[in-house]
Amino acid sequence: MRTGFLGAAVAVLIVALCACGGGGGSSSAPHAGSATPTPAPTNQPSGSPSDIDWPMFGFSLPHSGENTSETTLTPATVSKLHLLWSRKIGDVSSCCSDTQPIVAANVSVNGSNIDVVFAGDEHGYFLALNALSGATVWSKHLGSQVTSCPQTPDDVFGITSTPVLDRTRNRVYVVDGNGLLYAYDLATGNTASGWPAGGVGVVDDPTVDHVWSALAFDSSNNTLFVTTASYCDLGVWHGALRAVNVATATSSVFYFGTQGAMQPNMTTTYGGGIWGWGGIAIDATTHNLYGASGNLVNPEVAPFSDSVAEWSPPVTAVGTDEPAGAGGDGDFGGSAILYDDAGSKCVAAMRKEGTLFIYDRTNISGGPKVSLLMGSPDTIDTPAHSSVTHLLYVNNPTTGPYNAGLYAFQTQAGCTINTTAVWSQPIGVYVGPITLAGGVLFDPAGSQLQAFNATSGGAPLWTSGSTIVG
């Protein structure tokens, strides 16, 4: 089998970044046609396409962040990484990209098989690019919202959520700033057969509700999951978990504010939702869903506020726990990941005041098995786990009980860990998720991407240096 992180004969590593340029307004209405990005560099190498997709945030349904099939990028070869190409996703006024790029391997495009990378930006641009050359395969300019929330450089929100692949139907799904879910053919960008050309609405009100988190798709039950939260806790928003049947483009919904009410006419209890980048993680065996939620403004202490929760498909609540200790603002800024290790089935998530929680995912309501305060606000880290090294990897971006840095903890039976780290390494400002492949740990810090040996004391192996600007 030809395997590579994103490529094969030529190993390709794809990253997206926030390139914060000059601001400017953006229409909240969808735009037809294509973006006009910067042309791709010429004289690109050729190579065989990969056999391995990177289909969603965190690589797989549990969102563990690990590709165990990698053979090209290893501790012995990663130092040879160098800039192959770079592309601006949208127009000259685009503020940033918050999506994790995903890759469809071996797609037939105009008679040739290529790997295609998909990424969007906050002005609603969505690109499909040749992973080896950076050339545009197709592009879209979708909708965005002008807000008063300063969590993007120009207060404009478009495609924040990481898209997801559906290889059975040859589709990629993406949500824009107007809360519309689109399904496009991987090779052509045409609207998928049977899907509404104008998209499917997955928010109650796009002026207050937003899809921050990655989409999750469970092919076993043809269901795509979408989570929503608010812009800066502004207005009366209805945070929700939606299950969309991709065969019929119909959905059912769980509202965090009313513990699963099926109608949006809420007048006294509102808010909540999930805004961590990873969104929902899925158990590949039981197909149950796990997430870590934010606060409910009215009332703050309502069930499913600031909690780790479990649902059975499509969106039936199974269990929830709001761990103690955070005070009045106990949002989970990081997303939940699942891992099986030492005979236990576990879920891990980081609360934004800096506490790492680990649960036995067969008994969420029983409370956490680990509550480890590591740093201080605001922590939005999502951990990663390796089934090869049997280590749980956590970024701690702020000094607290643990110094700022990257930590590797040994997992133990009963969903516990040895709180004395196996190894740790200093890092800079942390802005993104950990990725594991071929025994290498990739960690973004500020405007640099760093690579460490996933074992061997976490030895530094490579850095992008000043290559990335933004």
Side-chain angles (χ1 to χ4, degrees):
M1 176 184 289
R2 300 187 309 273
T3 58
F5 182 64
L6 296 180
V10 179
V12 180
L13 184 68
I14 307 289
V15 297
L17 61 147
C18 182
C20 306
S26 176
S27 170
S28 62
H31 299 274
S34 301
T36 54
T38 305
T42 58
N43 301 318
Q44 296 301 308
S46 61
S48 301
S50 171
D51 292 326
I52 303 296
D53 292 337
W54 192 282
M56 66 187 74
F57 181 98
F59 184 68
S60 59
L61 291 175
H63 288 177
S64 66
E66 181 182 41
N67 173 11
T68 58
S69 298
E70 174 62 43
T71 59
T72 303
L73 286 174
T74 68
T77 63
V78 69
S79 64
K80 298 178 182 179
L81 280 173
H82 59 279
L83 183 64
L84 185 63
W85 55 263
S86 64
R87 290 294 308 278
K88 192 169 185 63
I89 292 176
D91 63 12
V92 293
S93 66
S94 290
C95 68
C96 53
S97 175
D98 288 318
T99 66
Q100 183 180 88
I102 63 170
V103 174
N106 219 4
V107 178
S108 179
V109 179
N110 297 325
S112 298
N113 289 343
I114 63 172
D115 294 345
V116 182
V117 58
F118 301 91
D121 80 348
E122 293 293 1
H123 282 216
Y125 287 94
F126 187 59
L127 295 191
L129 303 175
N130 184 314
L132 283 179
S133 71
T136 300
V137 178
W138 53 265
S139 63
K140 302 289 178 181
H141 191 186
L142 305 176
S144 58
Q145 293 285 326
V146 180
T147 75
S148 58
C149 176
Q151 292 179 340
T152 63
D154 57 3
D155 306 354
V156 175
F157 289 80
I159 301 171
T160 307
S161 170
T162 296
V164 69
L165 299 182
D166 177 353
R167 290 311 297 258
T168 300
R169 293 172 179 79
N170 201 44
R171 295 175 177 178
V172 58
Y173 301 103
V174 62
V175 174
D176 72 359
N178 291 334
L180 295 172
L181 172 64
Y182 296 90
Y184 294 120
D185 181 271
L186 296 178
T188 66
N190 294 333
T191 298
S193 176
W195 198 266
V200 174
V202 289
V203 305
D204 289 341
D205 180 353
T207 67
V208 293
D209 302 319
H210 187 60
V211 182
W212 289 85
S213 305
L215 303 179
F217 177 61
D218 190 343
S219 60
S220 69
N221 52 29
N222 297 319
T223 306
L224 184 144
F225 297 96
V226 186
T227 60
T228 60
S230 67
Y231 305 100
C232 292
D233 294 353
L234 300 174
V236 179
W237 78 95
H238 295 153
L241 164 62
R242 281 179 172 80
V244 181
N245 185 318
V246 299
T248 62
T250 59
S251 64
S252 53
V253 61
F254 173 96
Y255 288 106
F256 286 81
T258 54
Q259 304 176 62
M262 301 302 287
Q263 66 283 339
N265 58 337
M266 294 173 283
T267 58
T268 58
T269 304
Y270 64 91
I274 291 177
W275 55 271
W277 300 120
I280 291 293
I282 301 174
D283 186 312
T285 301
T286 67
H287 304 284
N288 279 10
L289 322 172
Y290 298 83
S293 68
N295 62 284
L296 298 174
V297 169
N298 181 27
E300 176 75 26
V301 296
F304 292 95
S305 170
D306 308 332
S307 299
V308 173
E310 176 186 8
W311 298 263
S312 61
V315 284
T316 301
V318 174
T320 184
D321 180 69
E322 180 179 353
D329 191 12
D331 297 68
F332 278 88
S335 300
I337 70 160
L338 312 182
Y339 67 92
D340 297 354
D341 212 346
S344 302
K345 297 180 178 296
C346 311
V347 55
M350 181 77 86
R351 196 164 60 187
K352 76 176 185 181
E353 99 290 359
T355 300
L356 171 68
F357 292 97
I358 305 177
Y359 287 78
D360 177 345
R361 71 175 183 269
T362 67
N363 184 21
I364 295 294
S365 298
K369 301 299 183 181
V370 172
S371 300
L372 180 65
L373 179 62
M374 296 189 64
S376 59
D378 277 324
T379 298
I380 58 170
D381 175 55
T382 296
H385 175 267
S386 171
S387 60
V388 177
T389 66
H390 303 286
L391 297 176
L392 183 70
Y393 302 93
V394 182
N395 275 313
N396 184 44
T398 55
T399 298
Y402 288 72
N403 292 326
L406 166 64
Y407 288 82
F409 295 104
Q410 185 70 57
T411 53
Q412 300 176 154
C415 296
T416 61
I417 58 172
N418 185 336
T419 57
T420 300
V422 175
W423 56 260
S424 63
Q425 290 287 345
I427 58 169
V429 177
Y430 168 63
V431 296
I434 295 168
T435 295
L436 297 158
V440 180
L441 184 152
F442 296 92
D443 201 7
S447 60
Q448 288 192 6
L449 180 66
Q450 302 175 75
F452 301 90
N453 194 316
T455 56
S456 301
L461 300 173
W462 174 82
T463 176
S464 62
S466 60
T467 300
I468 297 173
V469 179

